[in-house]
Structure formats: C-alpha cells, structure tokens
Amino acid sequence: MKTAIYPGSFDPITFGHLDIIERAVALFDRLIVVIGDNLRKTHPLFSVEERMEMIRETTQAWKDLVTVEKLDGLLVNKVQATGAQTIVRGLRAATDFDYEFEMVLANRRLDPSFESVFLMPNSQYIYLSSSIVKEVVGLGGDASAFVPPFVARKLREKFKKNTVQ
Ligand code: PNS
C-alpha cells in the first residue's frame, strides 16, 4: 500500500491545500494529512484541534482515503511511525522553492529512506496562502473565493471573538 504524508500548518486549510489533496489521493492509496506548527511562523490563529476539524470537514469527499493527525516533534519521526514512504508538499511558485529544498535536504539527512514529492496546484491557487486568507478576513473581507464555507464560517467566528476580547 502506497502511503503518503501531507504535512503543513493548515492555519486554516484553503482551496489550494484541497487541490493538492485531490491530486495526492489520485496517486497514493492512503494520505495522512499531518498538522504541525511551523516554528518560523507567528503563533497560529487556530488550535491544532480546530485545524483538524476543518480538514476533516472539508475532505469528506475522500474520507476513505484521507486521515488527519497531529505532528508532535520531527516530521521524519511521524513518517517512520506511520509507515509512509513519501512526503507530499505543494509548490506554488519559485518563491517556495528555497524553503522546500532546505526542508527536503534536512529531512533526508535525518532519514534518507523516503522521498518528498511536489505537486503544483491549479494556477488559480498559485497566489493563495493561509496568511493571505487571514489578512483578508481579518480586515473584513470575504473569504469564499479562498476557503470552503465551513472554514469561512470558522474564520468569521474567530475574528469576531478576537475583536470582542
Ligand atoms: O505549511 P507549512 O507552514 O509550510 O508547514 C511546515 C511544516 C509544519 C511541514 C514544517 O515546519 C515541519 O515539517 N515541521 C516539523 C518539524 C521538523 O521536522 N523540522 C525539520 C524539517 S525542516
């Protein structure tokens, strides 16, 4: 069985991530979406549990193929623990390349027994990131072009709560 891990912050999941998931499930028998915190990024807006819920809700179409787990510690340890053979990452533009290349080489140093593969999303998602979505919604904009309705609702709720506090 070909198992892949798709790691990311998913804070929150966007149509760009879902595009990559759709492409990955066509290539692998099982896809484990793994939520980690990127230490290079600011504090996440959503808790890991909230992000897991949003991913589960929005990947219902592939529910027999996709599972969602959290990442504590190193990604290579998660790959080993799950028995996955491949890491999947989305590559949007040349600006992603340096960081992704660095991660591949670091992971390969830690464990050379698996490969990382990169999938390109549809061109309409090339510019899309969770950070852009948070900025748009945080400034009162409409997220419906960027995220599924369930996620758009969670974003509105989150920003409303953060403003009230
Ligand atoms: O969506 P992101 O923020 O680009 O995801 C980054 C993530 C979470 C996949 C990355 O930070 C990661 O793999 N973190 C786990 C810690 C780790 O293994 N670091 C060593 C590899 S650089």
Side-chain angles (χ1 to χ4, degrees):
M1 181 179 274
K2 284 187 291 174
T3 303
I5 277 194
Y6 178 30
S9 312
F10 304 107
D11 186 39
I13 189 162
T14 68
F15 283 137
H17 295 125
L18 289 166
D19 180 292
I20 298 298
I21 289 173
E22 184 168 14
R23 289 170 200 280
V25 295
L27 295 173
F28 298 94
D29 302 310
R30 196 164 70 105
L31 184 70
I32 308 170
V33 180
V34 164
I35 304 173
D37 284 327
N38 185 337
L39 299 181
R40 304 180 197 203
K41 290 184 179 168
T42 52
H43 189 71
L45 179 65
F46 292 100
S47 69
V48 171
E49 286 68 29
E50 289 171 322
R51 286 179 267 165
M52 286 179 95
E53 185 194 15
M54 287 186 278
I55 296 172
R56 286 209 182 95
E57 274 297 321
T58 54
T59 57
Q60 281 296 308
W62 312 286
K63 67 176 185 320
D64 297 335
L65 308 171
V66 175
T67 52
V68 188
E69 294 185 21
K70 66 170 97 163
L71 175 63
D72 295 310
L74 285 173
L75 182 58
V76 291
N77 293 344
K78 191 70 174 177
V79 176
Q80 288 158 0
T82 56
Q85 304 85 20
T86 312
I87 292 175
V88 168
R89 292 278 289 172
L91 199 60
R92 290 166 301 184
T95 44
D96 283 343
F97 184 79
D98 283 352
Y99 169 57
E100 295 298 335
F101 195 49
E102 215 176 90
M103 275 215 299
V104 169
L105 295 183
N107 286 330
R108 192 176 282 165
R109 259 298 164 111
L110 294 167
D111 184 346
S113 70
F114 58 84
E115 289 297 338
S116 299
V117 301
F118 292 87
L119 301 176
M120 285 69 181
N122 191 306
S123 57
Q124 72 194 101
Y125 303 129
I126 289 292
Y127 67 93
L128 183 53
S129 68
S130 300
S131 310
I132 293 271
V133 174
K134 285 182 280 195
E135 187 169 328
V136 168
V137 181
L139 295 170
D142 175 18
S144 56
F146 311 127
V147 296
F150 184 84
V151 178
R153 202 178 72 234
K154 293 283 172 191
L155 276 160
R156 282 195 303 274
E157 287 169 8
K158 180 67 77 176
F159 278 107
K160 209 154 72 186
K161 207 159 107 201
N162 285 356
T163 319
V164 169
Q165 279 169 359

